[in-house]
């Protein structure tokens, strides 16, 4: 696919919190990653306000297993408490994702150079991502590396369909929808032979408005062009 | 599929069980509750005629007081001085309109006003039934206490006030204390009253068992629910709730699976400012899923001493053999085939193994025919770290066929011959298969192990059974150490530990209980030697008549622990101890002496050293001993017959 990357992401544990178990604080993971969790991983590899990352599909390589741990979360009011968090054990996924230009950011129009961004994206992936990679929550450190999607053997090959029930697809932010709301999308995925093909965010029919929100502004005050930076570096070199 | 959705669907596929009272083995009643309903213990039953007049009343017995009552979200969670009446049956202070007139104390508002207003709303709605209208007509007359006093259920003192606590001075003759005062815990205001409608010519269903009335309240109440929102479980637009059930494991359990009143810990905070922003769940789904869960836990949940719940159920047919136990696999009732271990007379483990596999696969086939391919099995483990919240510690949803394949696999892989279980008559059962996870915990950590340790191990064993993972080495090692130290335990306990440890070790080795004469593994052979020495000495002790009570342990048993660490050196000690016996009963013990030579000669010269033995020596020990005690070659060595009987009696737990 155009502008696409394929990578494998793995770690010791993963926690894609089921929002229902989040209210009280005893977190339980979904059995598969959400679209948003994977989008976050892709954005950790490389992201610019010019582009929007789209996750196409994910493949679950290892059998879905859970393991619970006693965790001492810190309370906002000071002190801490004891809770049981339930994690996925030995998660390993193959992901295919691509980027498109974010048309809700006209101010970044000058930066719409497909070839450049795709090449940076591929280089960043090879280097293991630009930012920390984690699976669902911050304590679940993970690693990315390029792969060919569907090549390695997986536990769910020829397993058939698994209906996952209703789950969160992702979160709509105003800078990607053009609407000044924070919204949550839900959907009803089916895992076929270990592969979940994600529907694109705009097709999700179950959308729930959470709160009002304004998009973050990007302009000359917080964005520096490569040419400027280069000139700066050249300037240092002269001294 | 998500665990909540599976619970919800379990409720939907068991709608015929709703409101049906079932009894547990300990005679405790439970039922699959209709939504918007709960159970309460009532002390007084009031019968009302269809015209709405008082008919009769009685104080209820302990075996009859459990009542299914409708409830609202508010009343289900009322506490302290909050006035939140149940819709129909409630306490005296709520339902009696003349409560204040007879001296009842109220705090702020009158509970009856709130109660009768709520009842009026229901009775005047389109959902109302004739029975409900009769009850409403009677209660709005505000004369319940008067009628109960006339019926001699309640009593008044000289000032025409209700007696809320019985005192000596009220007694007209000694020892005469009305029944109501013993039936009600605390003061009379909290006496719970249920209503029934009486008809002289028709047989009416009891109000609290009337399905029509359940549906009436469910229909009426569904119109009063909060705003609609997307339900995260079903994805449908439904009225949502933020009050979820507690009392999930038992009636004293305050922990909730879904709690939403967290205003200081803010585990959801980040993107979301309020809990309703983080997630929403519909009233119907929350009620049904929680009711189904409670019902399942009552029916088939295994609760450890520390209140951790292990639950296995199927969506379509809820009864599924549990993976943490072995006894209920036999007790499931696989039809008329001989599946009870008592029925198995043979001594060959292959036959036992075959029976077990047959039982399980027979069960699988039976289910597969009934429910084609969509059947699933759910495994759920629940526990709470604090009193208020409960967490799902493990959840798996697998294809039912796959689940049975895994169970068969586990029971044929982690299998050995056990003889520690008893049947109803108290007879020891010979049983071939995998030990229960709890017994594995006792084998590895001893019978006095900490509850937390045991439930932790039980949880760690789940992936071994469900996913076919290898058993964690620390568990095997710990069990091996304990099994190597027989002097530290009673004989029956050691035998149990030994056979369980053999099962654990055998998961990797795949041996048979039947002796493998060809096996040249060093540890296995050393184990065989130890068994022969043990049987030889026991035999000699029997013969000499020194050990009538069979209390004395042999040298082989006493040195077992050292033997496993330094086999060569210890073997010399054991063999020296055998010599006097051999000298004394030379001829009759020859059989064993020859066998010792035979086995020892199989150990290669360079491997007969002091290197510690692996767990396999236990397998060699067990198999050799089993062979010696079950030897059919009786002509040559008559003594063996008595030995066989002895060995079986020996295992009786002290």
């Amino acid at each position: 696919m155009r502008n696409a990357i394929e990578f494998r992401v793995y770690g010791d544990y993963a926690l894609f919190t089921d929002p229902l178990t989040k209210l009280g604080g005893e977190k339980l993971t979904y059995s598969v990653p959400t679209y948003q969790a994977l989008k976050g991983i892709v954005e950790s590899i490389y992201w610019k306000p010019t582009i929007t990352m789209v996750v196409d599909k994910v493949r679950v390589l290892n059998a879905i297993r859970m393991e619970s741990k006693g965790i001492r979360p810190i309370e906002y009011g000071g002190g801490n408490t004891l809770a049981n968090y339930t994690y996925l054990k030995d998660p390993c996924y193959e992901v295919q994702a691509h980027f498109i230009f974010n048309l809700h950011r006209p101010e970044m129009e000058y930066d719409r150079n497909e070839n450049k961004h795709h090449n940076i994206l591929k280089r960043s992936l090879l280097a293991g991502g630009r930012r920390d990679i984690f699976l669902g929550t911050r304590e679940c450190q993970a690693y990315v590396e390029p792969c060919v999607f569907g090549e390695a053997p997986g536990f769910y090959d020829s397993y058939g369909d698994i209906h996952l029930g209703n789950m969160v697809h992702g979160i709509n932010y105003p800078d990607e929808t053009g609407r000044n709301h924070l919204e949550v999308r839900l959907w009803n995925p089916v895992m076929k032979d270990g592969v979940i093909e994600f529907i694109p965010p705009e097709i999700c029919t179950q959308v729930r408005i959470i709160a009002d929100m304004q998009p973050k502004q990007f302009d000359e005050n917080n964005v520096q062009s490569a040419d400027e930076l280069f000139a700066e570096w050249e300037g240092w070199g002269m001294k | 599929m998500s665990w909540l959705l599976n619970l919800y669907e379990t409720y939907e596929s068991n709608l015929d069980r709703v409101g049906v009272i079932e009894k547990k083995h300990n005679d405790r009643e439970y039922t699959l509750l209709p939504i918007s309903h709960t159970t309460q213990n009532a002390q007084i039953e009031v019968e009302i005629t269809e015209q709405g007049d008082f008919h009769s009343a009685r104080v209820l017995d302990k075996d009859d007081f459990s009542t299914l009552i409708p409830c609202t979200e508010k009343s289900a969670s009322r506490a302290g001085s909050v006035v939140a009446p149940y819709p129909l049956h409630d306490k005296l202070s709520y339902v009696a309109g003349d409560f204040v007139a007879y001296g009842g104390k109220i705090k702020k508002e009158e509970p009856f006003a709130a109660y009768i207003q709520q009842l009026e709303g229901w009775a005047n709605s389109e959902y109302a039934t004739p029975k409900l209208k009769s009850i409403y007509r009677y209660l709005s007359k505000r004369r319940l206490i008067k009628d109960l006093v006339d019926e001699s259920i309640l009593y008044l003192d000289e000032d025409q006030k209700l007696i809320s606590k019985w005192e000596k001075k009220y007694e007209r003759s000694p020892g005469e204390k009305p029944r109501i005062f013993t039936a009600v815990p605390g003061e009379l205001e909290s006496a719970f009253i249920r209503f029934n409608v009486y008809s002289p010519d028709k047989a009416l269903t009891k109000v609290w068992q009337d399905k029509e009335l359940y549906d009436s309240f469910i229909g009426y109440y569904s119109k009063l629910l909060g705003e609609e929102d997307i339900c995260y479980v079903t994805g449908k637009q439904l009225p949502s709730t933020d009050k979820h059930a507690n009392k999930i494991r038992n009636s004293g359990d305050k922990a909730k699976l879904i709690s939403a009143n967290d205003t200081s810990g803010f585990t959801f905070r980040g993107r979301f400012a309020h809990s309703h922003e983080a997630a929403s769940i519909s009233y119907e789904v929350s009620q049904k899923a929680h009711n189904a869960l409670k019902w399942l836990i009552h029916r088939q949940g295994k609760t450890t001493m520390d209140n951790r719940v292990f639950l296995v159920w199927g969506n379509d047919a809820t009864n599924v053999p549990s993976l943490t136990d072995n006894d209920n696999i036999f007790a499931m009732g696989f039809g008329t085939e001989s599946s009870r271990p008592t029925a198995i007379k043979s001594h060959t483990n292959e036959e036992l193994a075959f029976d077990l596999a047959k039982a399980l696969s027979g069960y699988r086939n039976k289910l597969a025919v009934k429910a084609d391919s969509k059947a699933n099995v759910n495994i759920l483990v629940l526990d709470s770290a604090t009193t208020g919240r409960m967490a799902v510690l493990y959840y798996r949803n697998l294809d039912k066929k796959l689940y049975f394949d895994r169970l068969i696999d586990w029971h044929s892989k982690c299998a050995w011959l056990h003889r520690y279980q008893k049947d109803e008559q108290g007879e020891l059962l010979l049983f071939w298969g995998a030990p229960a996870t709890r017994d594995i915990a006792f084998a590895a950590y001893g019978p006095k192990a900490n509850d937390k340790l045991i439930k932790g191990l039980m949880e760690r064993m789940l992936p071994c059974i469900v996913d076919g993972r290898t058993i964690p080495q620390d568990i095997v090692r710990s069990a091996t150490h304990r099994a190597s130290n027989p002097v530290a335990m009673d004989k029956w306990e050691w035998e149990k530990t030994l056979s369980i440890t053999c099962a654990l070790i055998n998961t990797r080795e795949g041996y048979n209980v039947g002796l493998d004469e060809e096996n040249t593994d060093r540890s296995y052979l050393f184990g065989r030697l130890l068994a022969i020495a043990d049987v030889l000495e026991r035999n000699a002790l029997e013969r000499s008549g020194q050990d009538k009570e069979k209390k004395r342990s042999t040298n082989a048993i006493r040195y077992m622990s050292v033997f496993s660490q330094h086999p060569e050196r210890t073997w010399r000690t054991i063999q020296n101890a055998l010599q006097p016996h051999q000298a004394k009963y030379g001829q009759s013990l020859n059989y064993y002496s020859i066998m010792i030579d035979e086995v020892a000669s199989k150990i290669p010269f360079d491997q007969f050293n002091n290197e510690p033995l692996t767990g396999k020596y236990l397998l060699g020990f067990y198999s050799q001993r089993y062979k010696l005690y079950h030897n059919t070659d009786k002509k040559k060595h008559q003594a063996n017959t008595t030995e066989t009987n002895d060995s079986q009696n020996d295992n009786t737990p002290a």
Side-chain angles (χ1 to χ4, degrees):
Chain A
M1 190 187 272
R2 195 166 153 187
N3 295 337
I5 51 164
E6 291 176 354
F7 62 90
R8 173 195 297 252
V9 53
Y10 59 93
D12 288 342
Y13 293 99
L15 177 56
F16 308 106
T17 314
D18 183 338
L20 292 169
T21 61
K22 204 172 180 174
L23 304 177
E26 306 270 342
K27 292 186 188 178
L28 165 71
T29 178
Y30 274 140
S31 41
V32 293
T34 60
Y35 177 90
Q36 196 69 23
L38 295 170
K39 185 171 177 242
I41 290 171
V42 183
E43 288 178 347
S44 294
I45 297 171
Y46 172 69
W47 181 77
K48 281 287 158 67
T50 321
I51 58 177
T52 301
M53 292 297 182
V54 180
V55 184
D56 304 307
K57 52 187 177 181
V58 64
R59 180 162 168 252
V60 182
L61 287 173
N62 292 344
I64 297 166
R65 290 198 290 132
M66 288 183 187
E67 185 182 314
S68 70
K69 301 196 206 190
I71 298 286
R72 307 217 70 181
I74 295 166
E75 298 241 27
Y76 270 67
N80 54 12
T81 177
L82 179 63
N84 287 313
Y85 285 10
T86 304
Y87 295 84
L88 289 175
K89 177 96 176 102
D90 281 335
C92 183
Y93 306 105
E94 284 178 357
V95 183
Q96 191 195 72
H98 70 279
F99 69 83
I100 52 174
F101 291 122
N102 186 351
L103 301 178
H104 297 287
R105 290 230 174 262
E107 71 269 27
M108 306 305 289
E109 198 178 348
Y110 70 94
D111 194 33
R112 288 182 191 157
N113 179 342
E114 260 187 38
N115 211 22
K116 176 185 100 175
H117 286 300
H118 192 209
N119 277 303
I120 301 176
L121 178 60
K122 283 195 284 194
R123 275 205 304 275
S124 302
L125 173 61
L126 211 55
R130 290 194 161 194
R131 290 165 195 281
D132 289 356
I133 308 290
F134 50 90
L135 287 163
T137 47
R138 209 61 176 73
E139 70 263 28
C140 300
Q141 179 72 47
Y143 309 92
V144 288
E145 55 195 40
C147 75
V148 179
F149 192 94
E151 207 180 48
F155 180 83
Y156 292 100
D157 298 348
S158 68
Y159 189 94
D161 290 3
I162 294 180
H163 290 261
L164 295 161
N166 216 64
M167 59 184 278
V168 168
H169 184 277
I171 294 175
N172 279 337
Y173 290 104
D175 69 331
E176 288 176 351
T177 59
R179 301 186 289 268
N180 286 340
H181 295 303
L182 176 70
E183 298 164 344
V184 171
R185 305 184 304 271
L186 295 144
W187 73 314
N188 216 323
V190 178
M191 185 161 88
K192 291 187 170 114
D193 292 339
V195 177
I196 301 169
E197 304 239 9
F198 288 107
I199 55 172
E202 54 277 12
I203 293 181
C204 283
T205 49
Q206 300 177 41
V207 180
R208 189 171 173 245
I209 296 174
I210 300 294
D212 291 341
M213 192 185 254
Q214 299 293 324
K216 183 176 175 177
Q217 284 302 312
F218 289 100
D219 53 32
E220 62 276 9
N221 297 319
N222 54 10
V223 177
Q224 187 181 32
S225 84
D227 293 337
E228 275 173 44
L229 183 68
F230 184 68
E232 231 174 71
W233 282 3
E234 286 293 287
W236 289 343
M238 299 291 273
K239 276 174 198 167
Chain B
M1 212 171 0
S2 84
W3 56 284
L4 269 169
L5 187 54
N6 267 316
L7 286 169
Y8 172 75
E9 290 193 345
T10 303
Y11 188 98
E12 291 290 304
S13 59
N14 286 289
L15 285 176
D16 56 322
R17 314 296 309 159
V18 172
V20 179
I21 309 280
E22 292 167 74
K23 268 197 175 154
K24 277 210 271 199
H25 50 85
N26 59 358
D27 267 1
R28 287 265 303 280
E29 285 181 347
Y30 68 95
T31 180
L32 182 56
L33 289 171
I35 62 167
S36 316
H37 283 74
T38 183
T39 48
Q40 272 282 355
N41 295 338
Q43 288 90 27
I44 301 174
E45 179 178 317
V46 175
E47 296 217 305
I48 289 158
T49 62
E50 284 173 287
Q51 289 73 40
D53 294 316
F54 184 85
H55 175 266
S56 65
R58 65 189 180 103
V59 180
L60 294 166
D61 290 327
K62 254 209 159 71
D63 53 356
D64 192 30
F65 62 24
S66 179
T67 312
L68 220 169
I69 61 164
C71 70
T72 60
E73 282 183 90
K74 256 187 171 170
S75 58
S77 56
R78 82 177 174 203
S81 60
V82 182
V83 173
Y86 285 115
L88 187 55
H89 315 285
D90 208 330
K91 288 180 182 174
L92 190 64
S93 55
Y94 279 96
V95 295
D98 46 0
F99 182 64
V100 182
Y102 284 101
K105 288 172 218 64
I106 51 170
K107 289 187 179 105
K108 275 177 287 172
E109 47 181 321
E110 193 191 1
F112 178 75
Y115 169 81
I116 202 75
Q117 193 193 358
Q118 187 172 276
L119 187 62
E120 185 183 8
W122 180 16
N124 289 338
S125 75
E126 52 180 312
Y127 299 96
T129 67
K131 278 185 199 166
L132 177 70
K133 285 181 177 156
S134 311
I135 297 173
Y136 170 66
R137 207 172 302 146
Y138 169 69
L139 286 172
S140 51
K141 289 180 191 163
R142 294 173 159 254
R143 48 174 293 147
L144 180 64
I145 293 186
K146 185 177 184 306
D147 286 333
L148 286 175
V149 170
D150 292 347
E151 195 79 5
S152 294
I153 302 271
L154 303 180
Y155 295 88
L156 301 177
D157 59 14
E158 307 86 59
D159 310 329
Q160 294 298 300
K161 300 283 182 224
L162 193 65
I163 299 173
S164 77
K165 242 189 188 148
W166 191 253
E167 281 166 43
K168 266 254 149 47
K169 61 177 178 180
Y170 300 127
E171 283 178 20
R172 270 169 224 127
S173 60
E176 178 216 29
K177 186 177 178 184
R179 267 183 63 213
I180 184 66
F181 292 98
T182 42
V184 179
E187 306 200 333
L188 260 200
E189 285 82 73
S190 60
F192 201 94
I193 301 182
R194 71 186 187 196
F195 299 100
N196 195 17
V197 177
Y198 172 83
S199 163
D201 42 312
K202 279 178 281 181
L204 296 174
T205 339
K206 304 265 190 210
V207 163
W208 55 92
Q209 291 169 357
D210 191 348
K211 205 163 175 325
E212 199 189 337
L213 218 73
Y214 300 160
D215 293 339
S216 157
F217 183 70
I218 294 168
Y220 167 68
Y221 191 59
S222 66
K223 290 282 175 295
L224 300 180
L225 290 170
E227 273 177 55
E228 288 200 349
D229 204 339
I230 293 179
C231 171
Y232 273 41
V233 178
T234 56
K236 289 184 195 134
Q237 195 81 21
L238 288 167
S240 68
T241 184
D242 58 355
K243 294 190 179 67
H244 304 281
N246 58 8
K247 299 180 184 175
I248 289 166
R249 290 172 294 190
N250 52 56
S251 55
D253 181 21
K254 288 279 171 204
K256 285 181 176 186
L257 269 168
I258 305 171
S259 53
N261 57 355
D262 180 12
T263 51
S264 59
F266 287 116
T267 39
F268 52 81
R269 200 145 79 169
R271 290 289 174 230
F272 310 114
H274 304 286
S275 68
H276 66 85
E277 292 180 358
S280 108
I281 178 167
S282 66
Y283 176 77
E284 186 196 342
V285 170
S286 169
Q287 288 266 318
K288 287 186 175 173
H290 280 106
N291 288 350
L293 180 60
K294 288 178 189 176
W295 180 64
L296 286 168
I297 289 175
H298 276 298
R299 263 171 80 96
Q300 61 211 66
K302 303 276 166 207
T303 311
T304 66
M305 294 153 280
D306 215 9
N307 262 333
R308 179 168 292 190
V309 175
F310 293 83
L311 182 63
V312 181
W313 85 98
N315 289 31
D316 51 342
T318 47
N319 279 334
V320 173
S322 155
L323 72 181
T324 51
D325 267 332
N326 48 33
D327 52 336
N328 80 335
I329 286 175
F330 292 111
M332 290 294 295
F334 301 108
T336 50
E337 292 162 65
S338 64
S339 49
R340 289 289 304 168
T342 29
I344 302 168
K345 287 279 191 287
S346 72
H347 280 291
T348 60
N349 52 58
E350 286 84 0
E351 252 173 78
L352 293 179
F354 178 71
D355 265 20
L356 180 66
K358 197 171 67 180
L360 272 171
S361 47
Y363 193 64
R364 178 186 60 187
N365 290 341
K366 219 176 350 172
L367 284 175
V369 173
K370 213 168 93 187
D372 36 52
S373 63
K374 280 279 179 184
N376 276 315
V377 168
N378 298 284
I379 304 163
L380 191 69
V381 180
L382 301 173
D383 199 1
S384 55
T386 57
T387 44
R389 305 178 313 243
M390 179 151 47
V392 176
L393 297 191
Y394 185 93
Y395 175 68
R396 271 301 284 275
N397 172 251
L398 353 113
D399 184 56
K400 201 173 237 171
K401 196 170 158 296
L402 193 70
Y403 176 74
F404 277 98
D405 286 344
R406 292 281 159 76
L407 265 190
I408 293 171
D409 192 45
W410 168 251
H411 276 273
S412 50
K413 236 174 67 193
C414 179
W416 203 253
L417 196 64
H418 306 284
R419 200 168 22 196
Y420 56 82
Q421 271 186 333
K422 288 184 173 178
D423 63 6
E424 288 94 6
Q425 284 84 45
E427 300 261 315
L428 280 167
L429 300 176
L430 198 62
F431 149 74
W432 164 265
T437 43
R438 177 191 288 265
D439 287 326
I440 295 178
F442 288 141
Y445 302 131
K448 288 190 185 116
N450 186 309
D451 289 350
K452 283 196 176 124
L453 203 60
I454 289 173
K455 66 183 188 180
L457 181 136
M458 287 173 74
E459 195 197 332
R460 281 173 75 200
M461 290 305 292
L462 291 185
C464 306
I465 304 169
V466 181
D467 297 318
R469 309 279 303 186
T470 52
I471 299 170
Q473 265 307 305
D474 63 300
I475 297 174
V476 182
R477 209 176 301 133
S478 178
T480 310
H481 275 300
R482 289 195 74 245
S484 302
N485 195 11
V487 280
M489 305 172 237
D490 286 341
K491 180 137 202 245
W492 68 269
E493 193 196 340
W494 175 64
E495 292 288 348
K496 180 176 170 181
T497 309
L498 179 65
S499 68
I500 291 173
T501 310
C502 285
L504 294 179
I505 295 167
N506 202 30
T507 313
R508 192 165 285 176
E509 306 302 335
Y511 289 173
N512 253 327
V513 174
L515 185 65
D516 180 7
E517 311 246 3
E518 305 301 310
N519 197 320
T520 53
D521 182 88
R522 173 178 168 270
S523 298
Y524 193 81
L525 290 172
F526 267 117
R528 287 180 62 186
L529 278 183
L530 191 68
I532 302 167
D534 176 40
V535 177
L536 189 153
E537 195 177 340
R538 176 125 306 276
N539 228 322
L541 287 174
E542 299 283 311
R543 246 159 242 265
S544 66
Q546 284 173 11
D547 188 29
K548 287 246 169 60
E549 317 239 300
K550 298 170 203 98
K551 280 261 170 71
R552 198 165 132 185
S553 43
T554 63
N555 282 300
I557 296 298
R558 259 184 272 167
Y559 287 121
M560 194 168 178
S561 169
V562 202
F563 182 77
S564 68
Q565 293 305 308
H566 309 283
E568 190 231 324
R569 199 172 73 201
T570 320
W571 177 245
R572 209 182 317 151
T573 318
I574 293 173
Q575 205 163 23
N576 284 343
L578 290 178
Q579 260 161 14
H581 298 303
Q582 280 169 318
K584 203 168 174 190
Y585 304 101
Q587 271 304 322
S588 48
L589 295 178
N590 246 354
Y591 174 71
Y592 300 111
S593 306
I594 293 165
M595 201 182 277
I596 287 179
D597 296 344
E598 213 173 275
V599 175
S601 69
K602 280 190 182 162
I603 304 176
F605 167 71
D606 57 331
Q607 284 181 27
F608 198 85
N609 53 22
N610 273 324
E611 208 159 287
L613 300 174
T614 67
K616 269 187 255 181
Y617 94 94
L618 291 174
L619 300 183
F621 176 80
Y622 196 105
S623 296
Q624 180 67 65
R625 202 182 55 162
Y626 182 81
K627 166 116 195 262
L628 287 173
Y629 281 146
H630 293 93
N631 205 336
T632 43
D633 196 4
K634 282 176 197 163
K635 269 181 283 174
K636 223 160 139 194
H637 296 278
Q638 292 175 317
N640 284 340
T641 35
T642 47
E643 284 298 315
T644 315
N645 297 333
D646 290 344
S647 74
Q648 276 166 349
N649 297 336
D650 275 357
N651 292 334
T652 318

